[in-house]
Amino acid sequence: MTTAPSSTRRYTSTETVRRPMTTAPSSGRHSSTSAWAVSRPPSRPQSLSYRQLLQQRLQKYQWTASFHVEMTGPVRNPLWSGSFWLGGTKIGQSSWHTTKDAAKEDAAKQALNWLNTYGYH
């Protein structure tokens, strides 16, 4: 009579199966209580920023855009605004933000909205 295994596991293609590392027999310690260790599936890639999406769209149409940034306020607490220009046309303008990166992201979002509005998908 054959006995069924005490536990069965199914592995999907996103999982990786590895044997646990063992220590030398002279140490007397066990490295793991289970016979198999399962690693996590790979994490999902992070979503792209608006600037990256805008760059991809510009490359698709082989356009080059320029970014203009403005700063106002005291040096210790500046406010930033940015705009994207496609040739002589302003396609994105951000509101005032406390960081330059936030101003660039907002301007890129506005530029993507402009491109979508005029059919450049």
Side-chain angles (χ1 to χ4, degrees):
M1 178 176 165
T2 59
T3 59
S6 61
S7 68
T8 57
R9 279 195 173 155
R10 292 183 182 211
Y11 297 102
T12 63
S13 62
T14 57
E15 295 178 327
T16 324
V17 179
R18 294 183 289 173
R19 286 196 172 269
M21 295 180 59
T22 58
T23 57
S26 62
S27 68
R29 296 186 345 228
H30 299 286
S31 64
S32 176
T33 58
S34 67
W36 295 90
V38 178
S39 66
R40 292 184 176 180
S43 62
R44 291 180 23 198
Q46 290 183 325
S47 59
L48 298 175
S49 68
Y50 288 112
R51 285 184 281 177
Q52 291 170 322
L53 292 171
L54 179 61
Q55 182 64 34
Q56 287 179 355
R57 186 82 53 88
L58 294 173
Q59 285 177 352
K60 178 181 177 180
Y61 291 103
Q62 299 178 351
W63 293 335
T64 55
S66 59
F67 179 75
H68 179 73
V69 66
E70 296 178 49
M71 185 197 70
T72 187
V75 176
R76 67 183 180 279
N77 193 18
L79 292 175
W80 300 91
S81 176
S83 57
F84 274 100
W85 291 79
L86 186 58
T89 306
K90 186 188 303 185
I91 62 171
Q93 172 70 45
S94 73
S95 57
W96 293 99
H97 294 275
T98 56
T99 65
K100 190 188 290 187
D101 284 338
K104 286 181 179 181
E105 280 296 305
D106 191 17
K109 182 179 178 181
Q110 300 303 322
L112 282 169
N113 287 337
W114 186 92
L115 290 172
N116 289 336
T117 300
Y118 289 99
Y120 296 101
H121 299 282

